[in-house]
Amino acid sequence: MNIMENRNYLLAAVAAGAIIMGGGGILLGRSMAVQPVASPAAAPAETEEEGHVEGQILMDAARVKGAGIMTETVQAGGLGSEILAQAIVAATPDGEAILTARADGAITRIHRRLGDAVGAGEAVAVIESRDAAAIASERSSATARLVLARSAYAREKKLFDARITAKQDLEAAAAALAEAEAEARRSQSAAAAAKLSGDGRTLAVTSLISGRITKSDARLGAYVTAGTELFRVSDPRRIQVEASVPAVDTRRIQPGDTAMIELPGGETVSAVVRSATPSLDPESKTATIVLVPGSIAGLTPGQGLRARIKPRGGATSGPIALPDEAVQSVEGRDVVFVKTAKGFQAVPVVTGNRGGGRIEIVDGVKPGTVIATRGAFMLKAELGKGEAEH
């Protein structure tokens, strides 16, 4: 009986231990199933990784400007549709004035020097001349004769009205008055054209336009003859670009065609063809194409540069041409950097022929796309750093 009780007690104890161990296992399993809470520092990194776009470079406008990155709008037409020409910035016909001596004389005063600003009608120098005295004398004589002729006409008119003198006397007085008035106008015009001073001793050299003095050959005390060039004034706002184009290409260009002017720093300025000279230069055998720039920023008279003219009859589909520096090699692929709202996006392209610092793009971008040209290598470096971080 004792043996049976001990056996039953042992079995009950083993069963109770199993139940306790089972419950503990359940509790232990539940505690191991709870996941640890992610640290706050890990969340932004995970979000950035999810929002990253391959080939994207985030860059605002201020950073783009500070890095010196230039952009250009892609236009249709390959290398064959562009006419490359050497050009020079020149003043328009009304943008430059040559100031000459109006009469023989000695330069007694110089009011402006090389580089100074001058306004239209402003005196730049003064010449003391014997011709000034002659012009002043003629003006005085003409004025005196005019006063006398008016007096004589008034007297004859009064006598004629009183029926004392004949009509022919009045007509003669009227003719004399008309002649005196014409002579007075002529002498006044001569004095004004010569810029005669009030005392009648000196002549002023005045500027015809507003601008800056770009050339000065006047020397104080120097004796000059009439017609001698003393100063040259240019208005930097009135400029045009003159491109030298071979005769074979001149026939393709028409007024209204578009062009791009390449500045030394890598920037470009859009322009429009205004006209073409009807003959060739005897030395260079080229025609001059006059371009009107859309902006004068960065253009200085006398500056040499290159122009790319796009005739309207050229190709409007097929390859497009870009500057060599716009195409970069990334991981063995040719890419260009397209301007986006947030910065730039690297876009693979298929390239074609090269020449004259330009490269054809066969596929990858379309006309109207804005891409980075100057400074594209900096975007390549930024892209490399960004991809390494991700």
Side-chain angles (χ1 to χ4, degrees):
M1 186 69 178
N2 291 334
I3 295 174
M4 290 298 294
E5 290 177 355
N6 290 337
R7 182 181 178 184
N8 292 334
Y9 178 80
L10 180 60
L11 290 174
V14 170
I19 293 173
I20 294 173
M21 291 299 293
I26 294 172
L27 294 174
L28 179 61
R30 288 179 179 177
S31 65
M32 291 297 292
V34 176
Q35 297 297 325
V37 178
S39 62
E46 184 177 353
T47 304
E48 181 181 353
E49 190 68 25
E50 291 176 356
H52 173 67
V53 179
E54 184 179 358
Q56 184 184 53
I57 303 173
L58 301 179
M59 186 175 292
D60 57 18
R63 190 178 171 195
V64 171
K65 183 177 180 181
I69 299 173
M70 301 297 175
T71 60
E72 179 179 322
T73 302
V74 175
Q75 297 183 6
L79 297 179
S81 66
E82 294 183 336
I83 299 176
L84 302 180
Q86 296 301 316
I88 188 171
V89 182
T92 59
D94 61 345
E96 185 177 49
I98 298 175
L99 312 186
T100 61
R102 303 299 179 90
D104 299 350
I107 301 174
T108 57
R109 287 195 300 274
I110 298 177
H111 300 309
R112 292 290 183 270
R113 289 185 281 182
L114 187 66
D116 288 350
V118 61
E122 186 177 352
V124 180
V126 174
I127 298 176
E128 192 174 79
S129 172
R130 287 179 297 180
D131 292 340
I135 295 173
S137 177
E138 289 181 4
R139 184 178 63 178
S140 299
S141 299
T143 302
R145 287 194 294 269
L146 177 59
V147 172
L148 181 60
R150 285 174 177 171
S151 176
Y153 176 77
R155 184 175 63 253
E156 290 296 333
K157 181 71 168 58
K158 187 179 297 184
L159 294 174
F160 176 77
D161 292 340
R163 299 180 182 276
I164 298 175
T165 58
K167 184 178 181 180
Q168 58 266 28
D169 294 335
L170 178 61
E171 292 175 347
L177 176 59
E179 184 178 350
E181 288 176 341
E183 182 62 22
R185 286 194 299 268
R186 187 198 66 79
S187 62
Q188 289 286 357
S189 298
K195 305 301 178 183
L196 186 67
S197 62
D199 58 7
R201 296 176 51 192
T202 60
L203 304 175
V205 180
T206 60
S207 178
L208 301 176
I209 62 173
S210 297
R212 291 187 175 274
I213 297 178
T214 58
K215 185 179 180 181
S216 176
D217 293 328
R219 298 294 181 269
L220 194 63
Y223 187 87
V224 295
T225 58
T228 302
E229 180 180 338
L230 301 178
F231 301 93
R232 188 167 295 190
V233 178
S234 295
D235 187 348
R237 299 169 299 178
R238 304 178 187 178
I239 57 176
Q240 62 188 21
V241 177
E242 300 176 357
S244 299
V245 177
V248 65
D249 293 326
T250 305
R251 294 188 292 268
R252 299 167 51 195
I253 301 174
Q254 300 294 330
D257 289 344
T258 60
M260 295 296 293
I261 301 170
E262 298 178 353
L263 301 182
E267 300 180 55
T268 58
V269 176
S270 61
V272 177
V273 176
R274 183 186 184 277
S275 60
T277 55
S279 59
L280 302 179
D281 182 87
E283 296 182 0
S284 62
K285 305 301 180 183
T286 59
T288 300
I289 306 298
V290 179
L291 306 176
V292 179
S295 172
I296 63 173
L299 299 177
T300 305
Q303 177 184 12
L305 34 75
R306 191 175 74 164
R308 305 195 314 267
I309 305 174
K310 292 180 175 290
R312 280 173 291 184
T316 57
S317 60
I320 60 177
L322 298 176
D324 275 338
E325 58 184 344
V327 181
Q328 299 292 320
S329 178
V330 177
E331 297 180 354
R333 297 181 303 172
D334 290 331
V335 301
V336 297
F337 295 94
V338 177
K339 187 74 175 67
T340 63
K342 297 182 179 180
F344 293 90
Q345 177 67 43
V347 176
V349 295
V350 179
T351 60
N353 298 325
R354 296 174 182 258
R358 308 279 289 175
I359 182 172
E360 283 186 342
I361 304 299
V362 179
D363 189 23
V365 292
K366 297 181 179 180
T369 306
V370 180
I371 64 162
T373 53
R374 179 187 176 191
F377 67 93
M378 299 177 63
L379 296 175
K380 173 184 175 180
E382 288 289 331
L383 179 63
K385 291 193 298 183
E387 295 297 337
E389 292 175 358
H390 289 288

